[in-house]
Each structure stands twice: as C-alpha cells, then as structure tokens.
Amino acid sequence: MAREQRIQVTVNGRAYDKVVPVRLSLADFIRENLYLTGTHLGCEHGVCGACTVLMNGRSVRSCLTLAVQAEGAEIVTIEGLRAEDGTRHPMQQAFHENFALQCGYCTPGMLITAIELLRENPDPSELEVREALSGNICRCSGYQAIVNAVLAVARQGAAG
Amino acid sequence: MSDTRFVNQRAVGTSVLPDEAIPLVEGFGRFLNDIQLPGTYHVAFLRSQHAHARLRSVDASKARMLPGVIKVLTGSELLGKVEPFRSMPNRFSGGESVQHWLAVEKVRFCGEAICAVVAESRAIAEDAVELIEVDYDPLPVVSDPRMGEKDDSALVHDSCTNNYLIKREYERGDVDEAMKAAHLVVKRKFRIGRKQALCLESRGCVAAYRESTFALTVWMSHQLPYVVRHYLGKHLGLHENEVRVIAPHTGGGFGQKASIYPEEFVCAHLALALRRPVKWVEDRLENMVASTHARDQYIELQAAVDREGHLLALSSDIWVDVGAYSTYLWSAGMEPLQTAGLMPGPYKVPALRYRTRGVATNKTPVGPYRAVGRPSASASFELLLDEVARRLEIDPVELRQRNLIANEEMPYRNSNNLVHDHVNYVPCLKLSTSKGDYAKLREEQKKAQANGRLRGIGVSCFAELTGLGTTTAVGPGTLLQPGRDAVTLRLETSGVLTVAAALPSQGQRIMTAMRQVAADELGINLEDITCIINDTATAPYGFGTFASRTAVFGSGAVIKAAKELRQRILACGAFLLGVPVEDVTIANSVIHTLDRGKSISLREMAEKSYFSAKDIPEELNPGFEVTSFYDPKRGSFAAGAHLVAVDVDPETGEVKIVRYVATEDVGTIINPSVVEGQIIGGIAQGIGEALLEEIVYDEQGQPRTVTLADYLVPSALDVPRIELHHANTPSAALGGFKGCGEGSIIGALSAISCAVADALSQRGGDIHEFPATPERVLRGLGVLPGGA
Amino acid sequence: MKPAGFDYYAPRSVDEAVHVLADAGRDCRVLAGGQSLMPMLNCRIVSPAVLVDINRIEELDRVEATDASLTLGALVRHADLLRNPQIRAGWPLLAEATAYVAHPAIRNRGTVCGSISHNDPAAEQPSILVTLGGTVVIAGAAGRRELPAEKFLTGIMSNALEPGEMVVAVRYPRPVTGTSAAFVEFARRLGDFALAGAAVMLTIRKGVCEQARVTVVGMGDGPFRAHEAEAVLTGSALNGKTSKDAFNEAVAKVVAGVDPSEDVHASADYRRHLAAVMTARALQTAFERSGGA
C-alpha cells in the first residue's frame, strides 16, 4: 500500500496538484509544500487554535486534518484574506488598528475564527465574541484588544 | 545631568500604529518554523521516561538503519567534544550542577534529552526515536524539596553533598526584637504551584554552516541573541564573531526563551559536524517537559505589627523546587533569591530576615518566567496583610496605605537594601480605590453575603524594579549582570534613519517604541525611520529583551546617540545652507533656519554628504553613524495597585472575576496602546496563575500535566474587561521611561488570591494553596474535607 | 508530534468500508471527524497500521427526523446538529448538550457518532444518547445490527464494536409530549471536558412524574445512568412543595451510586460532590421548564 497520495486542492483561490504522504497534516502541507507559513502550529492536538483555517467555508483545525482529507476542498488561510487588489480584510485592518496582536502567533487562527463568527452572527454581544474566541489561545494580549477589534468590525458592518 | 533635550513633534506619548505588526497581521511573519533552507535535516530527541535513573545502555542500532535517518547522536559521543553546562556560580551557591547536552550515565528528570536523531524529515526522526532501546536502572526519586533537603534524602547530583543548589540567609534590622515588641505577630504558610510560560510558539532553532559569510548562523526563537552568540562561541570552540545569531519573529518569550538549553546547542554542533542546515522545532509535548518551569514555592512567613498595623518586621522561610539542574545562564538562584529578597515590595519593612533555599528535585529545571519570584512573594505577603487587617479590624486598604512607602519619604532605603524613588505607590492605590469605588464594593459585598452569595474583594500593591542598570543585579548575588546596551543610529545615503539594537521583540513593539523616541529626538519623520533589532550581524551589542528593560535601555541609548547625531546633522546642514549652526534646527526631516528662510531636506544633505564628500570639510562630515551604550546604573521602580472583586460559587467552588480595576505607574509612556496591551497581557497571565495554571507531578517524578488539555491557560472568557488607569511619574533614567512588562502579573496574582481568601473568610474559610482551583476553594470552605 | 505511518483508505460506501475493515484486522481505526483520534495519532498514543477514512461516504451524512425518532448518520457533525432547527425543537436536550462540546472549529469537524464511539467519560454525547434511550446502528460483514446505548458503551473509552464493524448511525426516540429536559455541566473553562455534568428528562403529567431519566457525566467508566434516582422520582408527585425533597433524595442516590475516578483536574471526592450539584441543578431546571416550579 503506497503511503503517498495525489491530491487536488484549492488554497486561497489557487488550484494545486500535489503528491503527499498520507500522514501529512493539512497544516504541514500548507506550510511546507505550499510555503504558506502564515498558519501556525502551537500544539498539534487541537487545543490552541493557532492552526485554524477555513475548509469549504468552515473553520477547522488544520493540525487535526490530514492533507489527503482536503482532496477537492477549498481552503482559505490568513494569506488569502486580503482582497485581490491587496487591501487587507476588514478584520485584519481592525486587528492592526486596535493593537489586537502582539507576538502575532495566535493571530491567524483568531482572524479565521472571528470572521466565521461575524458571518454567522453579524451583531454579537461582547460575551458572544468571547465565547466564540474561547477556543483560540492568546498568551500575550489578555484578549481585550482582540475583542475590541471584532466588535469594531461588527459595528462597521452594521453601519453598512 | 544631560543638556536640555530637543524634543520635536511628540511621537512619544501617542499610540502610533506599529508598522512592525503588518507582516504579522497579513500572515507574512517569519517565525522559526517558517524558515526552510534547502537540504535541511530535522532533529527529534529521545527523552527520558524516568525521573531518575542510571542509563545502563542506549541502543540506537535499529534507529540508525531506518531509511531517511542520517545520524543518531548520544551523550557519550559528545563527551570530551563539547563543554557541558556547569551552573552559573552564584555568590550564595550551594552545589554545582553539571548538565550534559545529552544525558550521560544518568537521567535526572522526565523529558531530559538522551539522544538526538537527525533525519530527512521530522516524522522520520520521530519514527527513529521509537526504535531506540534504552535500558534504565531506576533510582530513588526526589520529588519534594522539603524531603529533598533532609540528610537522608537521595541525591539528585551525587557530586554534591546535599540537594541545595542555592541557600541564602539574610537579616537586616533586629527581627527577633521587633517580634517580641510587637502588638501582633501573624504567621502563615503558603504553597504556590509550579507554572510554565506557555509561549504559544515553543522553542526551536535552525543552525547552518556557512549559510552566509559566517561559519555558523543560528536562527533561534530566543530573547537574547548576543548572549547566545557568546556561549555558542564558548562551547563550540568558535570565535564569537564567526557566529551569527538571529532571533526571527518570536511567538512569546516571557523569560522562558532567555535561558541556554542543550537542544539548540546540540543542533549547532550537528550543523558544524554535518555541514548541512539542522532544524529542531520543539513540539508541545516536549515543551511541557523540556522548557523551564517556574514558581513552585513553599513559603512560611511572619509579620510583626504595632497596634495601628504598621509593619515592624517580616521574616520568611522559603523552599523552591528548582528541578534537576541549575538553569544555565541564570542559575537556580533566580526564584529563591527574588521571592525572598523582593518580598517587602512597596511596603516599609524596618527589619527583614529570610532563609531561602533552592532544592534540586528530579523535575524539569526552573528558570525565569515573567516577574520570577515577585508574584509569589507579593501574593503571600498581601494575604498576610489581609490577615493582619482582619485581626486588627482595620480595613485592608487603610492598612496598606499606612505601610506603603509614601512619595514624601523617598528616596527610601528598604530593609532589602533597595532604594525607592520616582515612583507612585500611594497615588496608584488611591486612584484604584477611587475609580473602583471601593466603599461601594464593600457595601455590595455585604448585600451579596445577605443573599447567600460569596463576594470577595482583594487589593494588592506592587513595586517592580525595571530597566536594571549595572549596579542592581537581576538576582542578588548572580554574577551575570546585564546593564549596558547599545543602539546604533545611522543616517543612510538617502536620508532615512536606521535604528539598530539587539533587543528582539516578542510583541512588545520595541521597534515602534524606539522609532518614536528617535523621531522626537532627531526631528525626523517617523515614516523615514526603520528599526532592526534581532540580528547580531546587524545590531550592536545588547543584552536582549528581558526583565522589563527594553523601554529603558533602547530608548535611553537612542536618546544618547541622538544627541550626538543631531549635532552632526545640524553642523553639516548649516554648512550646506551657509548659515551659523545656531541658526538651524530640524523638523519633519527638513533642516531649516529658524526663520524658515532656507532649508535643505535630510535626503539632499545625506546624498551630498555621502556622494559629494569633497565639497564638505572633513570635520563637518565625520559620518552619520553613532553608537551609544546606555547604563541607567540603577533600576527604575514601576508600581501598581490592583483592585479585584470576585464571586465564588459555594457549590462548585468556581471563581468569577466580576470587577477588575488596575492603576499602574509605568513612567513616561512611549506608546499608550502598546503599554495597555502589555499590562492586560500580564494580568491575564496572573489570572492563569491565580486560578488555572499548575504543573503537577506524581511522587515518582512523572509529569501529570502533559498537554494543553491538562495545563489550562486563560481563554477569552477567563479574562474580564480590565479598567486600566495610570498614575505615572517619570523615572530617573534618560527619558523618564520605565519597564512595564512584568508588574501587572504580580498585581493580578496577589489581588485575585486576596479576593478569593476574602470571599472564603466570610464563612470562616481560608485558602493557602494556589492556584485557587474550584476544588481548593471548596476545601477551604469546608464543603469538602481536607481544608485548603 | 507527527503520527507514525499508516495505510490509508477512503472508501466511498459503507459496503466498501466494511470490506476494508474486514481485511484490515485489529490494528485499524476509523477516521470520522478526527477531533479525538488525530490528537491521539499526533501524540502517538495510538499508532494504527490502517486508517479508514469514512468522510467520503455520502450516505452517512444524513439527518432524518420523523415522528418516532431522529437518526444521525456517522458523518453528522456537532455543528450540523446545532444548526438544525428540527433537532433544536424536537430534541432540545441534544442541542443543549452539544453546545458544550469544545469550540466551533472542533464542532465543525467532530461527529456525534464519533464522540459516542470514543466514549470518553467526560464527553457529553454518550450521556445524551443514554438519557434519550437511543440506539447505535452498526454495520459489519454480517450485515447491520442495532444496540441500545448502554449495551454499546462497554466501559471507559470502549464500545461493543467487533473487529470489522463500524458505526453508521445513532438513533434517538422522540421524547413524548410533556417531557422537559435539561443538561448542565461544570468544566474548568468553557469547552473543556466536563468535570461533571448531568442530563435529566422529566415527563410530568398532572403533577406526577411519569418518567424520569437521569444520567451523570464524568463519573469514571462512561455515562452513569442513575437508575435509583430515577426510581425515586418515577411515580412521585412533583410540585412546588414536594420537588425539593424528591430531588434531594434523588441526588443522594446519585452520590451513593457514582464511583468517580481522580485525575489532574479533580479528586474522586470533588467529582462526587459535583455530581450532586449538577444533578440537583439539572433536576431543578428541567422541573422549571416543565412549568411545575
């Protein structure tokens, strides 16, 4: 039984066709085969959230997903958040303006989780924001600036 | 005394958006694991399953045969080739510990590295690790420092006569006399559990031979690149300047990445031997056992007070479980010496005595972590003060006010020989209690009690010595003295400014802070200033980012260098404008006459200076690169007062923080939003210490907290919204800056611990072991048998 | 933390999967959501020789709600359940408990059947299946069989699957009208494994408790079905005056019956105490929801 498989996967809008070891995680595939190192590994057991990406529109832990499971899927990582003309995603801009990152290691997962939250709940309370983010560990910021950033984006969205 | 400083457009004091954050928010950071060099070999370590054992044999033959395995390195192969880590001697040293990079003969803690496997991929290296057969001969385990100090205890290091890695006694003033004369003597015992920094990014390195002009280049997720370079040179037999150390983007440091560890040095050795890049990324399971732990104290203390609650004396007995080796660089002295020596904090303690011990055990070594011994010391002392307040029926805030070093009393030399000055202890407390409406909090507490709810209020005041200069040691008696760092300012050929310093950032926005200071000192636009900070090849000597020092050192050195650079710029600019030098100034990157009649841009001046040097007299064109060292000599005291209200659920023991008010004195603030982030981040870690985080071992030295499902750090639901206020006063250092990275974790652990104890005291309960887990809370309430 | 090597199969039908499982032997794991299994693989706690990924089997990604029951195929994710208004309305206990499962990203991949098969004593899903009187549908070379929850859940982290078998669905009977339910849990942080939890269903008609189901989470072996507590409540009058005593007695039975283990988060004592607190709170909440309080 070969322990490699060919996969075709779209990442940040670009199609890839690669042969990968079956035991390779989606996180390692993105980072090492596609050189998209913006997605980070903090624990490799699903707890810290730094590796969170969107897979077919839903947030998933890329450290708990095998690359071969992404066959045919559409993946979005932090590098794919900017618009085609290069402008930052409003959530990225809000994180920057609200000082919502310090070391930056948790930021990729935080952004993805926050973006999914506002897609499903466009006008969350502060408590709802904190609940949604409670699966993403930040060791630097104490979360306040991150929560401020998410609420700022929600307000912008509400303002149209 | 410096001359009048020129200050331009006040970038300092504004929340300038940090350009350095842009790559991070866009996903283009370069952390250690992001570095991928062609031909890299990957390392995995075989780690000890036993806390204490003789290594009868290590058989790596099957591992070596696995396809994709390049080499398996054992400790015996390194013997004689490299120098093991001998603990940094300390004036009050106990035994010396010798740490081999890979275990030879014996392993002394679970997780100690025994073999290094080098392979084509990390996965293959881990496969090979599983094939290595080790024959362990288990030895008796030392798992408790108070057992470990007994004469009949097994020895962690049989070259030592006992397990003390450090022991110190100190007395100033007549403590016994004070105890006799006191109106009241209060005694308490506390246990502060073991922690770890839990950086979201674990450690790691890439070591490469001849990657550039340097014989050895090492990228290391580390806080102190120059120090690493020094020791790499020393231990590998290279000239220091053949080595280049670069700290890439670093995902948290907090002191854990400020020690020297064997693994990275093994990788450097392998890179030289194999002449291929060698990469090691510490995974989380490794990090839980291989990176330094922190705290882990048993504290017994007594305070003597007079009738009004004024402190007369403080006496403490401290045992720290420092693990199996004296951490290389800082020694096992850090926690024991700081917990004891810094316990008085911001309070007047006329007489002080302590006996402190760092006892070796068969556990992961203990090293520096944010604020080191101060949180535990402060929490114990504040809990003791609350007990004094209860016994004397004095309000806890009032009691603190009576004992804090008042501004009028400064400079004040405390019994631990530290001189307090330029710091606002009382104003911080006053502001916290007024903004928090302390009286109303107490009323609400009474109402809650009437409704059967347990509300607790805690207040803590801390002193935090930051930016330590050469006359103040990081730990009393340590020989390693940081205290002088350099900054280079260089005007480039196009008139932009480079600020270079070896003060790497783990998110503190040091680059932004130094740019702000440089902009003000030089009159150069912020956008025209770039800062480089992390590379020994491009930055002048700096000790590194540690002990809340970068604001003081980086900014101070910028100010010194800027003074000289500005003079040179104006002299050259004046010549080019044909006016006397007194008639010119510089603002917004333009040198102009005071009447604004004539001007020349910095760009034009620089181009002329570099490319048309023949047109300018040599004495007016000496080059625009200035390197200045700065030593603030002493430290700068920062301060804070945290006021916390908690609700305790008497059925589950759950503690919820319902109000958090913090006032801090962090001196002159460079970037308010950055400072706020640092303070709140420190508070979050303090919440973790107070309520959630604990590394647990069993009696056989086996770690029981091995994943992030076991070791719990605060989530976004565990940190409340913090009400942050400032009562700043400038320090005596250049620029009036103070460090602000560590104080808030002290305030948080102390105030929350006091609040929980206050809640329990309403039902006659108590708690003395922390973190205040729900179970300990219930035991303290008597709901579960055992008492806390 | 890279997993050891394995042979990987991604069958497209249950038949194909069962075939692969039959050949694979004992050293084989089924991969559904992977939120429990992948951490174990990454930590090398388990290193199966064969991994059978069932995520390509479309027939397993099905939710079927009828008057009689709710059937969730093996690929139904916790998040799907939370997003389904029929389930929230018809099986509120299931929805309430599922909200406690970990965090959004975990719920997006993790499956209800996977959680039940894994049978971690601190997990919510196994206890809900027990409380609702559900069954597990199993496929193997010999065909399909259906086991009641308590027969399927054989002990800590174990189930009744034979080699070559896999779970294809779970089925929950529809609660009878007049049933109110509650799930409460105590964990160190939101989304962590429960230190203890309780699931309660009360069917109260004309002030009499016709049926009571009480299951306690986190008690050592798997879901603790509190038969004796249920016996105390069944047939008893439950109104504002009598409920307190009845619940106290039921809770006492729970405390006497559970045999929790200790771990780094809680001692056995504390877990037993929490079992009482959680049961009491769940009973009270279910009672209030019935309108009886």
Side-chain angles (χ1 to χ4, degrees):
Chain A
M1 172 82 204
R3 290 187 162 187
E4 280 188 343
Q5 226 171 77
R6 179 180 173 210
I7 56 170
Q8 293 175 310
V9 56
T10 303
V11 182
N12 299 333
R14 180 176 296 176
Y16 294 92
D17 189 335
K18 301 274 182 191
V19 176
V20 298
V22 294
R23 62 168 162 170
L24 185 73
S25 70
L26 179 60
D28 282 337
F29 172 68
I30 291 169
R31 291 175 44 77
E32 291 172 18
N33 295 52
L34 304 185
Y35 305 101
L36 294 167
T37 57
T39 300
H40 298 149
L41 289 172
C43 75
E44 291 182 290
H45 50 279
V47 176
C48 78
C51 72
T52 309
V53 299
L54 290 176
M55 182 157 131
N56 296 331
R58 289 202 183 174
S59 67
V60 303
R61 303 288 200 234
S62 62
C63 72
L64 300 185
T65 311
L66 295 173
V68 290
Q69 292 187 295
E71 158 68 33
E74 284 189 23
I75 310 289
V76 176
T77 71
I78 180 177
E79 294 98 330
L81 294 180
R82 67 225 299 246
E84 288 216 7
D85 65 1
T87 40
R88 283 173 218 136
H89 190 285
M91 191 64 74
Q92 287 173 304
Q93 187 60 27
F95 267 53
H96 183 47
E97 288 170 1
N98 285 274
F99 293 78
L101 61 154
Q102 292 184 28
C103 82
Y105 206 72
C106 75
T107 304
M110 283 287 181
L111 286 169
I112 298 287
T113 302
I115 287 168
E116 184 179 58
L117 166 70
L118 291 191
R119 204 181 55 208
E120 306 199 338
N121 184 357
D123 188 20
S125 64
E126 174 159 347
L127 181 60
E128 285 171 327
V129 172
R130 287 179 181 270
E131 273 175 14
L133 295 179
S134 63
N136 290 77
I137 294 175
C138 174
R139 199 54 170 156
C140 297
S141 74
Y143 304 101
Q144 193 152 309
I146 297 173
V147 173
N148 291 345
V150 178
L151 290 172
V153 177
R155 275 194 300 272
Q156 277 165 36
Chain B
M1 260 308 277
S2 54
D3 300 344
T4 314
R5 277 175 41 230
F6 166 83
V7 174
N8 195 29
Q9 58 196 20
R10 302 306 320 175
V12 168
T14 58
S15 293
V16 168
L17 280 191
D19 283 351
E20 60 189 288
I22 290 172
L24 296 169
V25 84
E26 294 185 349
F28 296 102
R30 292 277 287 164
F31 293 86
L32 191 286
N33 197 11
D34 303 338
I35 298 168
Q36 299 176 57
L37 300 177
T40 294
Y41 288 148
H42 297 263
V43 171
F45 289 93
L46 169 72
R47 297 187 178 277
S48 173
Q49 307 283 335
H50 289 263
H52 199 194
R54 213 171 292 282
L55 294 175
R56 273 213 216 98
S57 67
V58 176
D59 182 359
S61 50
K62 290 203 193 88
R64 289 191 174 104
M65 283 179 354
L66 190 68
V69 171
I70 308 302
K71 185 177 176 55
V72 179
L73 185 66
T74 63
S76 52
E77 286 174 64
L78 283 178
L79 264 185
K81 288 210 190 88
V82 300
E83 268 301 301
F85 296 152
R86 279 169 211 285
S87 58
M88 292 301 292
N90 174 294
R91 252 201 300 138
F92 314 107
S93 215
E96 179 189 71
S97 73
V98 177
Q99 185 178 19
H100 292 280
W101 301 5
L102 297 171
V104 175
E105 276 184 29
K106 262 198 197 180
V107 285
R108 293 186 174 83
F109 66 96
C110 271
E112 182 167 5
I114 299 173
C115 297
V117 174
V118 187
E120 287 168 353
S121 73
R122 173 67 184 226
I124 293 172
E126 291 189 22
D127 294 342
V129 164
E130 290 193 319
L131 296 175
I132 301 175
E133 285 163 14
V134 182
D135 191 5
Y136 296 96
D137 185 8
L139 294 168
V141 169
V142 182
S143 64
D144 181 324
R146 284 165 316 168
M147 301 302 289
E149 71 171 349
K150 293 192 154 68
D151 287 333
D152 59 356
S153 166
L155 288 175
V156 176
H157 294 275
D158 42 24
S159 56
C160 302
T161 50
N162 54 47
N163 284 318
Y164 289 118
L165 289 183
I166 182 152
K167 202 170 172 210
R168 189 191 183 198
E169 292 183 20
Y170 175 95
E171 181 152 2
R172 178 153 306 192
D174 196 333
V175 171
D176 289 327
E177 194 53 51
M179 297 278 175
K180 278 199 215 107
H183 170 73
L184 175 69
V185 174
V186 177
K187 275 191 210 184
R188 292 299 310 272
K189 290 186 189 181
F190 297 105
R191 167 95 181 99
I192 310 286
R194 192 172 257 246
K195 315 288 188 322
Q196 76 120 314
L198 217 288
C199 308
L200 202 57
E201 181 204 24
S202 333
R203 288 161 48 213
C205 70
V206 175
Y209 172 73
R210 294 258 168 252
E211 176 58 27
S212 54
T213 56
F214 293 85
L216 176 68
T217 302
V218 181
W219 289 263
M220 199 183 290
S221 195
H222 206 273
Q223 300 169 229
L224 316 176
Y226 261 96
V227 174
V228 169
R229 189 185 84 159
H230 178 85
Y231 285 101
L232 279 173
K234 188 169 171 180
H235 282 276
L236 294 172
L238 292 172
H239 284 152
E240 182 183 4
N241 44 13
E242 292 178 291
V243 179
R244 178 182 186 185
V245 177
I246 304 168
H249 280 126
T250 300
F254 310 119
Q256 191 177 67
K257 292 176 181 170
S259 290
I260 302 284
Y261 295 89
E263 289 92 349
E264 292 91 333
F265 276 53
V266 166
C267 290
H269 167 84
L270 286 166
L272 293 175
L274 298 171
R275 304 208 162 172
R276 287 277 284 266
V278 171
K279 182 174 187 179
W280 171 67
V281 175
E282 182 193 47
D283 67 36
R284 187 56 66 186
L285 290 182
E286 287 185 278
N287 169 260
M288 294 302 296
V289 291
S291 286
T292 55
H293 294 171
R295 320 310 193 219
D296 208 344
Q297 295 109 333
Y298 297 79
I299 298 173
E300 297 181 5
L301 65 169
Q302 318 183 32
V305 292
D306 69 13
R307 203 170 294 271
E308 281 82 44
H310 296 109
L311 289 161
L312 302 174
L314 173 63
S315 168
S316 71
D317 256 296
I318 296 165
W319 293 258
V320 183
D321 181 338
V322 292
Y325 295 99
S326 189
T327 321
Y328 199 45
L329 215 65
W330 301 106
S331 87
M334 286 283 272
E335 288 275 9
L337 294 174
Q338 289 201 15
T339 309
L342 298 171
M343 192 177 277
Y347 299 106
K348 288 172 286 192
V349 176
L352 176 69
R353 176 171 63 213
Y354 61 77
R355 263 188 313 222
T356 187
R357 313 133 178 94
V359 183
T361 61
N362 292 112
K363 297 176 189 169
T364 299
V366 158
Y369 165 49
R370 203 169 195 161
V372 190
R374 284 96 72 201
S376 305
S378 168
S380 310
F381 193 23
E382 296 280 6
L383 285 161
L384 190 71
L385 286 177
D386 275 359
E387 168 111 8
V388 168
R390 269 192 289 277
R391 300 263 286 265
L392 294 180
E393 292 181 339
I394 299 174
D395 176 83
V397 168
E398 174 61 35
L399 181 70
R400 283 161 174 79
Q401 255 155 11
R402 291 180 191 178
N403 285 286
L404 282 173
I405 301 167
N407 291 26
E408 313 83 73
E409 293 168 312
M410 298 177 188
Y412 182 88
R413 181 179 291 272
N414 213 346
S415 52
N416 56 3
N417 212 24
L418 291 175
V419 178
H420 298 253
D421 204 353
H422 303 288
V423 62
N424 269 344
Y425 300 130
V426 174
C428 280
L429 179 59
K430 287 208 152 100
L431 194 54
S432 270
T433 48
S434 98
K435 292 287 184 180
D437 202 343
Y438 178 68
K440 184 148 172 259
L441 284 179
R442 284 289 179 198
E443 274 170 40
E444 284 169 3
Q445 180 181 38
K446 289 202 190 79
K447 279 195 206 117
Q449 191 178 18
N451 293 335
R453 270 176 34 243
L454 277 187
R455 167 71 57 95
I457 297 170
V459 64
S460 74
C461 303
F462 65 85
E464 173 62 4
L465 195 53
T466 68
L468 301 171
T470 49
T471 65
T472 312
V474 170
T478 49
L479 291 186
L480 196 63
Q481 296 271 45
R484 295 173 69 237
D485 281 35
V487 163
T488 297
L489 298 180
R490 184 172 61 240
L491 198 66
E492 308 288 0
T493 59
S494 56
V496 294
L497 181 76
T498 298
V499 179
L503 296 171
S505 172
Q506 302 90 41
Q508 304 92 329
R509 301 294 172 255
I510 296 162
M511 295 158 88
T512 304
M514 288 199 286
R515 287 170 60 231
Q516 288 178 253
V517 174
D520 282 1
E521 296 294 313
L522 288 167
I524 300 179
N525 286 334
L526 202 55
E527 313 83 76
D528 295 335
I529 306 177
T530 302
C531 185
I532 53 180
I533 53 167
N534 61 343
D535 185 346
T536 60
T538 56
Y541 170 79
F543 188 84
T545 303
F546 188 67
S548 300
R549 66 198 300 276
T550 57
V552 172
F553 281 87
S555 312
V558 166
I559 291 171
K560 272 185 82 174
K563 186 157 172 250
E564 167 67 26
L565 183 63
R566 185 166 169 269
Q567 277 168 21
R568 293 187 197 179
I569 290 173
L570 290 180
C572 184
F575 170 81
L576 292 171
L577 290 177
V579 298
V581 70
E582 308 79 56
D583 287 358
V584 291
T585 185
I586 170 171
N588 302 321
S589 300
V590 174
I591 304 157
H592 61 85
T593 52
L594 295 173
D595 63 10
R596 295 180 185 275
K598 289 180 174 185
S599 71
I600 179 171
S601 72
L602 212 48
R603 170 187 275 272
E604 210 185 318
M605 188 217 79
E607 283 175 356
K608 284 207 156 72
S609 149
Y610 280 101
F611 301 136
S612 309
K614 62 170 175 50
D615 299 336
I616 306 174
E618 205 179 317
E619 66 274 13
L620 295 179
N621 196 13
F624 294 100
E625 179 163 339
V626 178
T627 296
S628 291
F629 278 79
Y630 178 55
D631 172 9
K633 294 279 186 277
R634 310 203 104 103
S636 300
F637 268 111
H642 290 202
L643 174 62
V644 173
V646 301
D647 271 347
V648 173
D649 182 331
E651 288 190 323
T652 62
E654 186 182 29
V655 175
K656 264 200 160 59
I657 301 172
V658 296
R659 186 98 191 267
Y660 201 116
V661 178
T663 302
E664 301 219 349
D665 168 11
V666 290
T668 302
I669 294 184
I670 301 171
N671 189 314
S673 292
V674 168
V675 165
E676 186 171 312
Q678 287 295 299
I679 293 174
I680 296 176
I683 289 174
Q685 288 186 324
I687 291 172
E689 286 213 51
L691 300 175
L692 287 166
E693 297 177 42
E694 191 170 9
I695 301 239
V696 178
Y697 281 85
D698 69 15
E699 274 153 28
Q700 289 311 305
Q702 294 288 327
R704 301 186 64 203
T705 39
V706 295
T707 69
L708 295 190
D710 307 321
Y711 188 77
L712 308 178
V713 296
S715 77
L717 285 170
D718 298 305
V719 185
R721 191 158 273 278
I722 311 294
E723 299 164 53
L724 186 56
H725 306 283
H726 285 284
N728 296 321
T729 188
S731 71
L734 265 188
F737 304 117
K738 299 181 183 179
C740 78
E742 291 173 276
S744 50
I745 194 176
I746 304 173
L749 173 63
S750 302
I752 297 167
S753 306
C754 286
V756 173
D758 186 53
L760 299 190
S761 73
Q762 289 165 58
R763 294 212 183 155
D766 197 4
I767 182 165
H768 60 256
E769 192 167 338
F770 296 89
T773 62
E775 180 160 354
R776 289 194 178 116
V777 167
L778 288 190
R779 292 197 193 282
L781 276 174
V783 172
L784 288 177
Chain C
M1 286 160 68
K2 312 302 176 191
F6 47 79
D7 289 331
Y8 173 84
Y9 296 90
R12 303 238 158 211
S13 70
V14 173
D15 282 342
E16 197 188 332
V18 161
H19 215 81
V20 171
L21 288 172
D23 285 342
R26 289 191 167 271
D27 193 8
C28 167
R29 290 267 179 164
V30 169
L31 176 65
Q35 305 301 285
S36 303
L37 182 59
M38 287 313 301
M40 291 168 74
L41 254 63
N42 289 349
C43 294
R44 298 200 181 205
I45 293 169
V46 297
S47 297
V50 177
L51 202 65
V52 180
D53 180 351
I54 61 169
N55 284 279
R56 304 281 167 195
I57 305 176
E58 284 178 17
E59 65 177 284
L60 296 179
D61 192 4
R62 221 174 280 163
V63 173
E64 202 186 310
T66 68
D67 284 344
S69 65
L70 170 70
T71 306
L72 302 179
L75 286 180
V76 173
R77 320 277 172 182
H78 302 291
D80 296 333
L81 196 157
L82 288 176
R83 289 190 177 105
N84 187 312
Q86 275 189 308
I87 297 175
R88 289 204 312 267
W91 291 264
L93 182 65
L94 182 55
E96 186 170 30
T98 303
Y100 283 94
V101 173
H103 300 284
I106 306 289
R107 293 195 292 264
N108 281 339
R109 288 291 288 174
T111 63
V112 178
C113 288
S115 175
I116 289 165
S117 305
H118 189 62
N119 199 18
D120 186 315
E124 295 83 2
Q125 297 294 6
S127 285
I128 301 305
L129 189 72
V130 166
T131 310
L132 285 166
T135 54
V136 181
V137 183
I138 297 164
R144 302 216 170 184
R145 61 189 182 116
E146 194 162 338
L147 282 182
E150 279 150 292
K151 285 239 150 50
F152 177 76
L153 303 165
T154 51
I156 180 171
M157 311 287 235
S158 3
N159 60 50
L161 289 177
E162 298 291 336
E165 289 188 316
M166 60 175 280
V167 172
V168 290
V170 287
R171 215 184 311 274
Y172 305 82
R174 187 182 279 275
V176 300
T177 38
T179 301
S180 64
F183 178 83
V184 293
E185 164 180 315
F186 184 70
R188 296 294 302 280
R189 302 170 306 179
L190 180 72
D192 286 346
F193 279 116
L195 297 189
V200 164
M201 267 183 22
L202 299 173
T203 309
I204 303 175
R205 289 215 184 90
K206 298 188 182 148
V208 175
C209 177
E210 293 187 358
Q211 197 191 75
R213 310 264 304 184
V214 179
T215 310
V216 185
V217 176
M219 292 300 114
D221 256 5
F224 175 80
R225 174 94 184 277
H227 293 284
E228 292 187 26
E230 292 175 0
V232 158
L233 296 167
T234 309
S236 64
L238 277 188
N239 55 52
K241 288 208 205 85
T242 61
S243 65
K244 193 154 178 257
D245 286 336
F247 291 161
N248 282 346
E249 210 188 322
V251 167
K253 294 290 185 196
V254 165
V255 170
V258 293
D259 183 22
S261 47
E262 71 96 35
D263 67 12
V264 84
H265 292 302
S267 66
D269 262 359
Y270 178 53
R271 277 209 163 81
R272 189 174 294 112
H273 170 86
L274 281 178
V277 176
M278 292 297 109
T279 305
R281 290 185 181 180
L283 285 169
Q284 186 60 27
T285 307
F287 183 55
E288 282 166 13
R289 286 176 181 166
S290 77

